[in-house]
Amino acid sequence: AAGGTAAAAAPAAAEERPWTVTVGGIEVSNAAIDFEDRAIAPVTKFRFAPVNVRLSEATLDLSQPVPVTMDAVINDHARFDARGTLTPEPLAAKLDIRLAKARMTILQPYVLPLADLTITGGELNVAGEVELAPPERDGPELSFAGEVGIERFKSVDNALKQDFINFAKVDLSKVRYAMAPDSL
């Protein structure tokens, strides 16, 4: 046609939307986890069995918090329960936790570098809120606020071969611990 050309209209670009998938629930029942802390000597072994974990409203958007509940038995005697939210990316969590009747003898390898004593008895109970935050966020990377109780604690001084610290019960309430930066 004389006098000009008609420009072909470009089709409107389709708006791109990322894939979204939401799963109403994921459940793992009666699982087992064996864990070894090889950073200390002797190697300390932990067994979590049975482990039951339930996630709800999980999505491909890993920045979204996912409601989670977990219960487990640690080393065939200690009961652990957790309930709250877990954010996969960046890793973060806010959980109400309960630990009941954990035998304190499992802590022996962690005590020896600090004190020459042997833990011969005692049970640890913990209840409170644990928060794990990404390192780039302001504030502590890990924090705990709650209560800690120790029952029937017994220890022996390794040099003197006699009782060192023994008590029936100690309860600590309103405990606040933070890591990076550290505070207690």
Side-chain angles (χ1 to χ4, degrees):
T5 61
E15 183 181 316
E16 289 189 33
R17 292 189 311 183
W19 267 63
T20 60
V21 174
T22 301
V23 177
I26 300 170
E27 187 167 332
V28 176
S29 298
N30 206 23
I33 300 169
D34 291 307
F35 171 76
E36 292 182 354
D37 186 350
R38 295 182 180 177
I40 58 170
V43 170
T44 302
K45 296 180 181 183
F46 299 91
R47 178 161 178 79
F48 297 77
V51 176
N52 301 300
V53 179
R54 289 165 292 291
L55 304 172
S56 57
E57 301 305 315
T59 176
L60 290 178
D61 182 355
L62 300 180
S63 67
Q64 294 300 309
V66 177
V68 61
T69 60
M70 176 185 171
D71 61 81
V73 176
I74 304 170
N75 293 349
D76 297 322
H77 60 84
R79 173 80 181 184
F80 177 76
D81 294 288
R83 176 180 303 268
T85 59
L86 174 69
T87 305
E89 185 63 38
L91 183 60
K94 190 170 187 176
L95 302 168
D96 286 323
I97 64 160
R98 303 279 180 269
L99 175 66
K101 300 198 179 292
R103 293 183 190 142
M104 298 209 49
T105 53
I106 196 73
L107 300 176
Q108 184 61 46
Y110 301 97
V111 170
L112 278 178
L114 303 172
D116 191 21
L117 66 90
T118 298
I119 298 172
T120 59
E123 290 182 339
L124 176 67
N125 298 300
V126 177
E129 185 176 274
V130 171
E131 188 168 350
L132 174 66
E136 60 274 4
R137 192 191 90 176
D138 288 340
E141 291 179 26
L142 177 70
S143 65
F144 169 80
E147 301 176 355
V148 177
I150 302 171
E151 298 177 0
R152 297 179 297 284
F153 185 82
K154 295 183 187 270
S155 64
V156 173
D157 181 307
N158 292 337
L160 300 174
K161 306 290 184 214
Q162 60 185 358
D163 285 349
F164 185 61
I165 297 174
N166 300 326
F167 53 82
K169 187 174 185 177
V170 168
D171 286 321
L172 304 171
S173 61
K174 298 182 183 179
V175 174
R176 296 198 187 287
Y177 168 77
M179 183 175 77
D182 298 342
S183 68
L184 178 62

mmCIF file of all heavy atoms in Angstrom, residues 50-98:
data_model
loop_
_atom_site.group_PDB
_atom_site.id
_atom_site.type_symbol
_atom_site.label_atom_id
_atom_site.label_comp_id
_atom_site.label_asym_id
_atom_site.label_seq_id
_atom_site.Cartn_x
_atom_site.Cartn_y
_atom_site.Cartn_z
ATOM 1 N N PRO A 50 11.107 -44.571 67.792
ATOM 2 C CA PRO A 50 10.537 -44.182 66.512
ATOM 3 C C PRO A 50 10.486 -42.662 66.367
ATOM 4 O O PRO A 50 10.405 -41.943 67.358
ATOM 5 C CB PRO A 50 9.119 -44.751 66.574
ATOM 6 C CG PRO A 50 8.779 -44.733 68.024
ATOM 7 C CD PRO A 50 10.074 -44.997 68.740
ATOM 8 N N VAL A 51 10.531 -42.209 65.130
ATOM 9 C CA VAL A 51 10.402 -40.786 64.799
ATOM 10 C C VAL A 51 9.138 -40.623 63.958
ATOM 11 O O VAL A 51 8.946 -41.351 62.982
ATOM 12 C CB VAL A 51 11.626 -40.277 63.995
ATOM 13 C CG1 VAL A 51 11.421 -38.837 63.574
ATOM 14 C CG2 VAL A 51 12.906 -40.449 64.776
ATOM 15 N N ASN A 52 8.293 -39.696 64.363
ATOM 16 C CA ASN A 52 7.078 -39.386 63.613
ATOM 17 C C ASN A 52 7.084 -37.891 63.299
ATOM 18 O O ASN A 52 7.237 -37.072 64.201
ATOM 19 C CB ASN A 52 5.832 -39.733 64.447
ATOM 20 C CG ASN A 52 5.824 -41.196 64.828
ATOM 21 O OD1 ASN A 52 5.812 -42.063 63.971
ATOM 22 N ND2 ASN A 52 5.861 -41.475 66.115
ATOM 23 N N VAL A 53 6.968 -37.558 62.021
ATOM 24 C CA VAL A 53 7.001 -36.164 61.574
ATOM 25 C C VAL A 53 5.788 -35.906 60.692
ATOM 26 O O VAL A 53 5.469 -36.723 59.817
ATOM 27 C CB VAL A 53 8.297 -35.857 60.776
ATOM 28 C CG1 VAL A 53 8.301 -34.413 60.299
ATOM 29 C CG2 VAL A 53 9.532 -36.165 61.580
ATOM 30 N N ARG A 54 5.133 -34.774 60.932
ATOM 31 C CA ARG A 54 3.995 -34.368 60.121
ATOM 32 C C ARG A 54 4.193 -32.922 59.650
ATOM 33 O O ARG A 54 4.421 -32.037 60.463
ATOM 34 C CB ARG A 54 2.701 -34.480 60.926
ATOM 35 C CG ARG A 54 2.288 -35.917 61.173
ATOM 36 C CD ARG A 54 1.239 -36.079 62.235
ATOM 37 N NE ARG A 54 1.630 -35.767 63.602
ATOM 38 C CZ ARG A 54 2.483 -36.459 64.362
ATOM 39 N NH1 ARG A 54 3.108 -37.496 63.858
ATOM 40 N NH2 ARG A 54 2.738 -36.113 65.594
ATOM 41 N N LEU A 55 4.129 -32.730 58.330
ATOM 42 C CA LEU A 55 4.189 -31.396 57.726
ATOM 43 C C LEU A 55 2.827 -31.113 57.103
ATOM 44 O O LEU A 55 2.201 -32.014 56.544
ATOM 45 C CB LEU A 55 5.247 -31.334 56.629
ATOM 46 C CG LEU A 55 6.671 -31.731 56.998
ATOM 47 C CD1 LEU A 55 7.536 -31.794 55.755
ATOM 48 C CD2 LEU A 55 7.246 -30.753 57.990
ATOM 49 N N SER A 56 2.380 -29.876 57.178
ATOM 50 C CA SER A 56 1.127 -29.525 56.521
ATOM 51 C C SER A 56 1.330 -28.281 55.680
ATOM 52 O O SER A 56 2.185 -27.456 55.964
ATOM 53 C CB SER A 56 0.007 -29.327 57.549
ATOM 54 O OG SER A 56 0.351 -28.353 58.488
ATOM 55 N N GLU A 57 0.535 -28.211 54.619
ATOM 56 C CA GLU A 57 0.571 -27.064 53.702
ATOM 57 C C GLU A 57 1.979 -26.798 53.167
ATOM 58 O O GLU A 57 2.439 -25.661 53.119
ATOM 59 C CB GLU A 57 -0.011 -25.812 54.363
ATOM 60 C CG GLU A 57 -1.448 -25.961 54.825
ATOM 61 C CD GLU A 57 -2.393 -26.402 53.719
ATOM 62 O OE1 GLU A 57 -2.313 -25.861 52.598
ATOM 63 O OE2 GLU A 57 -3.212 -27.299 53.980
ATOM 64 N N ALA A 58 2.669 -27.853 52.758
ATOM 65 C CA ALA A 58 3.998 -27.722 52.160
ATOM 66 C C ALA A 58 3.847 -27.223 50.721
ATOM 67 O O ALA A 58 2.916 -27.597 50.010
ATOM 68 C CB ALA A 58 4.730 -29.054 52.181
ATOM 69 N N THR A 59 4.767 -26.369 50.304
ATOM 70 C CA THR A 59 4.683 -25.747 48.979
ATOM 71 C C THR A 59 6.057 -25.713 48.321
ATOM 72 O O THR A 59 7.078 -25.864 49.000
ATOM 73 C CB THR A 59 4.100 -24.315 49.100
ATOM 74 O OG1 THR A 59 4.107 -23.704 47.817
ATOM 75 C CG2 THR A 59 4.883 -23.467 50.061
ATOM 76 N N LEU A 60 6.084 -25.501 47.019
ATOM 77 C CA LEU A 60 7.360 -25.367 46.306
ATOM 78 C C LEU A 60 8.058 -24.055 46.636
ATOM 79 O O LEU A 60 9.244 -23.905 46.393
ATOM 80 C CB LEU A 60 7.141 -25.459 44.790
ATOM 81 C CG LEU A 60 6.755 -26.830 44.239
ATOM 82 C CD1 LEU A 60 6.526 -26.742 42.738
ATOM 83 C CD2 LEU A 60 7.810 -27.869 44.557
ATOM 84 N N ASP A 61 7.325 -23.100 47.178
ATOM 85 C CA ASP A 61 7.918 -21.827 47.600
ATOM 86 C C ASP A 61 8.621 -22.072 48.939
ATOM 87 O O ASP A 61 8.009 -22.043 49.998
ATOM 88 C CB ASP A 61 6.844 -20.754 47.737
ATOM 89 C CG ASP A 61 7.427 -19.393 48.130
ATOM 90 O OD1 ASP A 61 8.647 -19.306 48.395
ATOM 91 O OD2 ASP A 61 6.644 -18.428 48.183
ATOM 92 N N LEU A 62 9.909 -22.355 48.872
ATOM 93 C CA LEU A 62 10.672 -22.738 50.064
ATOM 94 C C LEU A 62 10.863 -21.608 51.058
ATOM 95 O O LEU A 62 11.343 -21.822 52.167
ATOM 96 C CB LEU A 62 12.030 -23.311 49.651
ATOM 97 C CG LEU A 62 11.963 -24.556 48.770
ATOM 98 C CD1 LEU A 62 13.364 -25.031 48.424
ATOM 99 C CD2 LEU A 62 11.155 -25.662 49.405
ATOM 100 N N SER A 63 10.459 -20.403 50.703
ATOM 101 C CA SER A 63 10.566 -19.288 51.639
ATOM 102 C C SER A 63 9.361 -19.207 52.571
ATOM 103 O O SER A 63 9.338 -18.385 53.484
ATOM 104 C CB SER A 63 10.730 -17.964 50.890
ATOM 105 O OG SER A 63 9.536 -17.662 50.179
ATOM 106 N N GLN A 64 8.367 -20.059 52.349
ATOM 107 C CA GLN A 64 7.155 -20.051 53.169
ATOM 108 C C GLN A 64 7.298 -20.992 54.365
ATOM 109 O O GLN A 64 7.754 -22.126 54.217
ATOM 110 C CB GLN A 64 5.942 -20.487 52.338
ATOM 111 C CG GLN A 64 5.590 -19.524 51.234
ATOM 112 C CD GLN A 64 5.254 -18.152 51.783
ATOM 113 O OE1 GLN A 64 4.449 -18.008 52.688
ATOM 114 N NE2 GLN A 64 5.892 -17.130 51.229
ATOM 115 N N PRO A 65 6.911 -20.543 55.566
ATOM 116 C CA PRO A 65 6.967 -21.430 56.729
ATOM 117 C C PRO A 65 5.964 -22.577 56.586
ATOM 118 O O PRO A 65 4.863 -22.390 56.075
ATOM 119 C CB PRO A 65 6.593 -20.529 57.906
ATOM 120 C CG PRO A 65 6.251 -19.201 57.354
ATOM 121 C CD PRO A 65 6.444 -19.212 55.882
ATOM 122 N N VAL A 66 6.395 -23.748 57.021
ATOM 123 C CA VAL A 66 5.570 -24.950 56.945
ATOM 124 C C VAL A 66 5.270 -25.417 58.371
ATOM 125 O O VAL A 66 6.203 -25.626 59.157
ATOM 126 C CB VAL A 66 6.315 -26.065 56.180
ATOM 127 C CG1 VAL A 66 5.505 -27.350 56.161
ATOM 128 C CG2 VAL A 66 6.664 -25.614 54.772
ATOM 129 N N PRO A 67 4.003 -25.576 58.725
ATOM 130 C CA PRO A 67 3.689 -26.122 60.053
ATOM 131 C C PRO A 67 4.221 -27.554 60.177
ATOM 132 O O PRO A 67 4.075 -28.365 59.258
ATOM 133 C CB PRO A 67 2.163 -26.100 60.099
ATOM 134 C CG PRO A 67 1.767 -25.050 59.109
ATOM 135 C CD PRO A 67 2.800 -25.150 58.017
ATOM 136 N N VAL A 68 4.855 -27.846 61.313
ATOM 137 C CA VAL A 68 5.463 -29.159 61.525
ATOM 138 C C VAL A 68 5.206 -29.625 62.958
ATOM 139 O O VAL A 68 5.178 -28.818 63.885
ATOM 140 C CB VAL A 68 6.987 -29.116 61.223
ATOM 141 C CG1 VAL A 68 7.707 -28.159 62.134
ATOM 142 C CG2 VAL A 68 7.620 -30.489 61.307
ATOM 143 N N THR A 69 5.003 -30.924 63.116
ATOM 144 C CA THR A 69 4.981 -31.548 64.438
ATOM 145 C C THR A 69 5.880 -32.775 64.369
ATOM 146 O O THR A 69 5.973 -33.431 63.316
ATOM 147 C CB THR A 69 3.564 -31.975 64.885
ATOM 148 O OG1 THR A 69 3.047 -32.905 63.946
ATOM 149 C CG2 THR A 69 2.640 -30.796 65.029
ATOM 150 N N MET A 70 6.550 -33.048 65.471
ATOM 151 C CA MET A 70 7.476 -34.180 65.516
ATOM 152 C C MET A 70 7.458 -34.776 66.914
ATOM 153 O O MET A 70 7.367 -34.049 67.904
ATOM 154 C CB MET A 70 8.898 -33.719 65.186
ATOM 155 C CG MET A 70 9.934 -34.803 65.314
ATOM 156 S SD MET A 70 11.590 -34.130 65.050
ATOM 157 C CE MET A 70 12.569 -35.516 65.514
ATOM 158 N N ASP A 71 7.533 -36.088 66.972
ATOM 159 C CA ASP A 71 7.769 -36.743 68.249
ATOM 160 C C ASP A 71 8.744 -37.887 68.009
ATOM 161 O O ASP A 71 8.763 -38.478 66.930
ATOM 162 C CB ASP A 71 6.466 -37.227 68.905
ATOM 163 C CG ASP A 71 5.727 -38.243 68.074
ATOM 164 O OD1 ASP A 71 6.096 -39.438 68.119
ATOM 165 O OD2 ASP A 71 4.771 -37.858 67.377
ATOM 166 N N ALA A 72 9.580 -38.129 69.005
ATOM 167 C CA ALA A 72 10.605 -39.169 68.870
ATOM 168 C C ALA A 72 11.016 -39.655 70.250
ATOM 169 O O ALA A 72 10.824 -38.966 71.251
ATOM 170 C CB ALA A 72 11.825 -38.623 68.125
ATOM 171 N N VAL A 73 11.620 -40.829 70.272
ATOM 172 C CA VAL A 73 12.253 -41.361 71.472
ATOM 173 C C VAL A 73 13.744 -41.388 71.187
ATOM 174 O O VAL A 73 14.185 -41.889 70.143
ATOM 175 C CB VAL A 73 11.712 -42.762 71.822
ATOM 176 C CG1 VAL A 73 12.455 -43.339 73.008
ATOM 177 C CG2 VAL A 73 10.215 -42.693 72.096
ATOM 178 N N ILE A 74 14.536 -40.818 72.113
ATOM 179 C CA ILE A 74 15.982 -40.714 71.931
ATOM 180 C C ILE A 74 16.667 -41.739 72.828
ATOM 181 O O ILE A 74 16.420 -41.782 74.031
ATOM 182 C CB ILE A 74 16.485 -39.301 72.268
ATOM 183 C CG1 ILE A 74 15.730 -38.263 71.432
ATOM 184 C CG2 ILE A 74 17.997 -39.193 72.054
ATOM 185 C CD1 ILE A 74 15.970 -36.831 71.849
ATOM 186 N N ASN A 75 17.522 -42.542 72.233
ATOM 187 C CA ASN A 75 18.296 -43.575 72.943
ATOM 188 C C ASN A 75 17.413 -44.452 73.825
ATOM 189 O O ASN A 75 17.782 -44.813 74.942
ATOM 190 C CB ASN A 75 19.424 -42.939 73.755
ATOM 191 C CG ASN A 75 20.478 -42.325 72.865
ATOM 192 O OD1 ASN A 75 20.496 -42.528 71.668
ATOM 193 N ND2 ASN A 75 21.357 -41.557 73.452
ATOM 194 N N ASP A 76 16.256 -44.790 73.327
ATOM 195 C CA ASP A 76 15.320 -45.726 73.975
ATOM 196 C C ASP A 76 14.756 -45.255 75.310
ATOM 197 O O ASP A 76 14.191 -46.061 76.047
ATOM 198 C CB ASP A 76 15.980 -47.107 74.173
ATOM 199 C CG ASP A 76 16.351 -47.754 72.855
ATOM 200 O OD1 ASP A 76 15.574 -47.620 71.898
ATOM 201 O OD2 ASP A 76 17.423 -48.394 72.786
ATOM 202 N N HIS A 77 14.900 -43.976 75.671
ATOM 203 C CA HIS A 77 14.378 -43.557 76.971
ATOM 204 C C HIS A 77 13.842 -42.133 77.013
ATOM 205 O O HIS A 77 12.905 -41.854 77.737
ATOM 206 C CB HIS A 77 15.432 -43.736 78.067
ATOM 207 C CG HIS A 77 16.669 -42.952 77.840
ATOM 208 N ND1 HIS A 77 16.800 -41.635 78.199
ATOM 209 C CD2 HIS A 77 17.837 -43.293 77.245
ATOM 210 C CE1 HIS A 77 17.995 -41.203 77.854
ATOM 211 N NE2 HIS A 77 18.637 -42.188 77.263
ATOM 212 N N ALA A 78 14.414 -41.221 76.292
ATOM 213 C CA ALA A 78 14.021 -39.811 76.391
ATOM 214 C C ALA A 78 12.954 -39.491 75.348
ATOM 215 O O ALA A 78 13.087 -39.841 74.178
ATOM 216 C CB ALA A 78 15.224 -38.905 76.189
ATOM 217 N N ARG A 79 11.917 -38.816 75.771
ATOM 218 C CA ARG A 79 10.827 -38.431 74.871
ATOM 219 C C ARG A 79 11.067 -37.000 74.383
ATOM 220 O O ARG A 79 11.331 -36.099 75.191
ATOM 221 C CB ARG A 79 9.504 -38.512 75.633
ATOM 222 C CG ARG A 79 8.315 -37.992 74.920
ATOM 223 C CD ARG A 79 7.784 -38.979 73.934
ATOM 224 N NE ARG A 79 6.634 -38.383 73.252
ATOM 225 C CZ ARG A 79 5.913 -39.026 72.389
ATOM 226 N NH1 ARG A 79 6.201 -40.254 72.101
ATOM 227 N NH2 ARG A 79 4.911 -38.435 71.801
ATOM 228 N N PHE A 80 11.001 -36.790 73.048
ATOM 229 C CA PHE A 80 11.184 -35.467 72.458
ATOM 230 C C PHE A 80 9.958 -35.139 71.622
ATOM 231 O O PHE A 80 9.508 -35.947 70.812
ATOM 232 C CB PHE A 80 12.435 -35.433 71.575
ATOM 233 C CG PHE A 80 12.630 -34.113 70.889
ATOM 234 C CD1 PHE A 80 13.108 -33.015 71.585
ATOM 235 C CD2 PHE A 80 12.311 -33.955 69.548
ATOM 236 C CE1 PHE A 80 13.277 -31.786 70.967
ATOM 237 C CE2 PHE A 80 12.478 -32.738 68.913
ATOM 238 C CZ PHE A 80 12.960 -31.650 69.632
ATOM 239 N N ASP A 81 9.400 -33.937 71.829
ATOM 240 C CA ASP A 81 8.259 -33.456 71.049
ATOM 241 C C ASP A 81 8.565 -32.038 70.572
ATOM 242 O O ASP A 81 9.142 -31.245 71.324
ATOM 243 C CB ASP A 81 6.991 -33.413 71.911
ATOM 244 C CG ASP A 81 6.551 -34.790 72.340
ATOM 245 O OD1 ASP A 81 6.052 -35.538 71.493
ATOM 246 O OD2 ASP A 81 6.719 -35.115 73.535
ATOM 247 N N ALA A 82 8.158 -31.726 69.356
ATOM 248 C CA ALA A 82 8.335 -30.379 68.812
ATOM 249 C C ALA A 82 7.104 -30.031 67.977
ATOM 250 O O ALA A 82 6.543 -30.888 67.288
ATOM 251 C CB ALA A 82 9.590 -30.291 67.960
ATOM 252 N N ARG A 83 6.722 -28.752 68.043
ATOM 253 C CA ARG A 83 5.571 -28.271 67.277
ATOM 254 C C ARG A 83 5.838 -26.814 66.918
ATOM 255 O O ARG A 83 6.233 -26.027 67.775
ATOM 256 C CB ARG A 83 4.311 -28.381 68.113
ATOM 257 C CG ARG A 83 3.069 -27.837 67.464
ATOM 258 C CD ARG A 83 1.857 -27.979 68.367
ATOM 259 N NE ARG A 83 1.646 -29.355 68.762
ATOM 260 C CZ ARG A 83 0.860 -30.225 68.115
ATOM 261 N NH1 ARG A 83 0.228 -29.831 67.039
ATOM 262 N NH2 ARG A 83 0.722 -31.453 68.533
ATOM 263 N N GLY A 84 5.640 -26.459 65.654
ATOM 264 C CA GLY A 84 5.840 -25.073 65.249
ATOM 265 C C GLY A 84 5.941 -24.950 63.749
ATOM 266 O O GLY A 84 5.221 -25.635 63.017
ATOM 267 N N THR A 85 6.848 -24.079 63.296
ATOM 268 C CA THR A 85 7.020 -23.871 61.860
ATOM 269 C C THR A 85 8.481 -24.020 61.475
ATOM 270 O O THR A 85 9.387 -23.728 62.259
ATOM 271 C CB THR A 85 6.538 -22.469 61.423
ATOM 272 O OG1 THR A 85 7.270 -21.473 62.132
ATOM 273 C CG2 THR A 85 5.049 -22.310 61.652
ATOM 274 N N LEU A 86 8.677 -24.457 60.234
ATOM 275 C CA LEU A 86 10.003 -24.640 59.651
ATOM 276 C C LEU A 86 9.993 -23.983 58.282
ATOM 277 O O LEU A 86 9.091 -24.226 57.477
ATOM 278 C CB LEU A 86 10.315 -26.133 59.521
ATOM 279 C CG LEU A 86 11.586 -26.527 58.817
ATOM 280 C CD1 LEU A 86 12.792 -26.134 59.669
ATOM 281 C CD2 LEU A 86 11.600 -28.016 58.554
ATOM 282 N N THR A 87 10.971 -23.120 58.033
ATOM 283 C CA THR A 87 11.113 -22.476 56.726
ATOM 284 C C THR A 87 12.366 -23.048 56.072
ATOM 285 O O THR A 87 13.468 -22.901 56.604
ATOM 286 C CB THR A 87 11.248 -20.942 56.871
ATOM 287 O OG1 THR A 87 10.131 -20.452 57.618
ATOM 288 C CG2 THR A 87 11.309 -20.270 55.521
ATOM 289 N N PRO A 88 12.227 -23.718 54.912
ATOM 290 C CA PRO A 88 13.383 -24.374 54.300
ATOM 291 C C PRO A 88 14.464 -23.427 53.770
ATOM 292 O O PRO A 88 15.644 -23.698 53.904
ATOM 293 C CB PRO A 88 12.776 -25.187 53.152
ATOM 294 C CG PRO A 88 11.338 -25.368 53.529
ATOM 295 C CD PRO A 88 10.971 -24.125 54.281
ATOM 296 N N GLU A 89 14.066 -22.285 53.152
ATOM 297 C CA GLU A 89 15.082 -21.436 52.510
ATOM 298 C C GLU A 89 14.770 -19.970 52.715
ATOM 299 O O GLU A 89 13.734 -19.519 52.214
ATOM 300 C CB GLU A 89 15.129 -21.770 51.012
ATOM 301 C CG GLU A 89 16.208 -21.062 50.246
ATOM 302 C CD GLU A 89 17.630 -21.420 50.712
ATOM 303 O OE1 GLU A 89 17.904 -22.559 51.051
ATOM 304 O OE2 GLU A 89 18.456 -20.500 50.740
ATOM 305 N N PRO A 90 15.578 -19.217 53.396
ATOM 306 C CA PRO A 90 16.735 -19.669 54.168
ATOM 307 C C PRO A 90 16.251 -20.411 55.418
ATOM 308 O O PRO A 90 15.160 -20.130 55.939
ATOM 309 C CB PRO A 90 17.456 -18.376 54.535
ATOM 310 C CG PRO A 90 16.396 -17.327 54.529
ATOM 311 C CD PRO A 90 15.388 -17.762 53.489
ATOM 312 N N LEU A 91 17.047 -21.365 55.862
ATOM 313 C CA LEU A 91 16.649 -22.244 56.960
ATOM 314 C C LEU A 91 16.323 -21.445 58.208
ATOM 315 O O LEU A 91 17.133 -20.657 58.698
ATOM 316 C CB LEU A 91 17.756 -23.255 57.265
ATOM 317 C CG LEU A 91 17.411 -24.269 58.358
ATOM 318 C CD1 LEU A 91 16.184 -25.083 57.973
ATOM 319 C CD2 LEU A 91 18.602 -25.178 58.615
ATOM 320 N N ALA A 92 15.108 -21.649 58.708
ATOM 321 C CA ALA A 92 14.652 -20.980 59.923
ATOM 322 C C ALA A 92 13.595 -21.867 60.569
ATOM 323 O O ALA A 92 12.946 -22.670 59.896
ATOM 324 C CB ALA A 92 14.073 -19.603 59.603
ATOM 325 N N ALA A 93 13.434 -21.737 61.875
ATOM 326 C CA ALA A 93 12.420 -22.514 62.580
ATOM 327 C C ALA A 93 12.009 -21.786 63.845
ATOM 328 O O ALA A 93 12.795 -21.030 64.434
ATOM 329 C CB ALA A 93 12.954 -23.897 62.924
ATOM 330 N N LYS A 94 10.783 -22.024 64.247
ATOM 331 C CA LYS A 94 10.269 -21.537 65.521
ATOM 332 C C LYS A 94 9.448 -22.680 66.084
ATOM 333 O O LYS A 94 8.382 -23.014 65.552
ATOM 334 C CB LYS A 94 9.425 -20.282 65.332
ATOM 335 C CG LYS A 94 9.065 -19.599 66.620
ATOM 336 C CD LYS A 94 8.433 -18.240 66.355
ATOM 337 C CE LYS A 94 8.242 -17.501 67.668
ATOM 338 N NZ LYS A 94 7.730 -16.151 67.450
ATOM 339 N N LEU A 95 9.984 -23.325 67.142
ATOM 340 C CA LEU A 95 9.398 -24.560 67.641
ATOM 341 C C LEU A 95 9.209 -24.525 69.144
ATOM 342 O O LEU A 95 10.106 -24.089 69.880
ATOM 343 C CB LEU A 95 10.304 -25.750 67.301
ATOM 344 C CG LEU A 95 10.626 -25.995 65.833
ATOM 345 C CD1 LEU A 95 11.753 -27.003 65.698
ATOM 346 C CD2 LEU A 95 9.387 -26.480 65.094
ATOM 347 N N ASP A 96 8.074 -25.017 69.604
ATOM 348 C CA ASP A 96 7.888 -25.321 71.017
ATOM 349 C C ASP A 96 8.389 -26.740 71.196
ATOM 350 O O ASP A 96 7.949 -27.653 70.482
ATOM 351 C CB ASP A 96 6.409 -25.242 71.411
ATOM 352 C CG ASP A 96 5.912 -23.817 71.484
ATOM 353 O OD1 ASP A 96 6.681 -22.945 71.927
ATOM 354 O OD2 ASP A 96 4.756 -23.575 71.098
ATOM 355 N N ILE A 97 9.333 -26.933 72.128
ATOM 356 C CA ILE A 97 9.929 -28.256 72.315
ATOM 357 C C ILE A 97 9.721 -28.757 73.732
ATOM 358 O O ILE A 97 9.568 -27.972 74.671
ATOM 359 C CB ILE A 97 11.430 -28.266 71.981
ATOM 360 C CG1 ILE A 97 12.212 -27.364 72.930
ATOM 361 C CG2 ILE A 97 11.680 -27.909 70.525
ATOM 362 C CD1 ILE A 97 13.682 -27.668 72.985
ATOM 363 N N ARG A 98 9.753 -30.074 73.873
ATOM 364 C CA ARG A 98 9.704 -30.746 75.164
ATOM 365 C C ARG A 98 10.659 -31.931 75.093
ATOM 366 O O ARG A 98 10.604 -32.717 74.146
ATOM 367 C CB ARG A 98 8.309 -31.287 75.479
ATOM 368 C CG ARG A 98 7.200 -30.273 75.459
ATOM 369 C CD ARG A 98 7.150 -29.481 76.760
ATOM 370 N NE ARG A 98 6.093 -28.489 76.770
ATOM 371 C CZ ARG A 98 6.234 -27.233 76.369
ATOM 372 N NH1 ARG A 98 7.368 -26.818 75.875
ATOM 373 N NH2 ARG A 98 5.231 -26.380 76.446
#
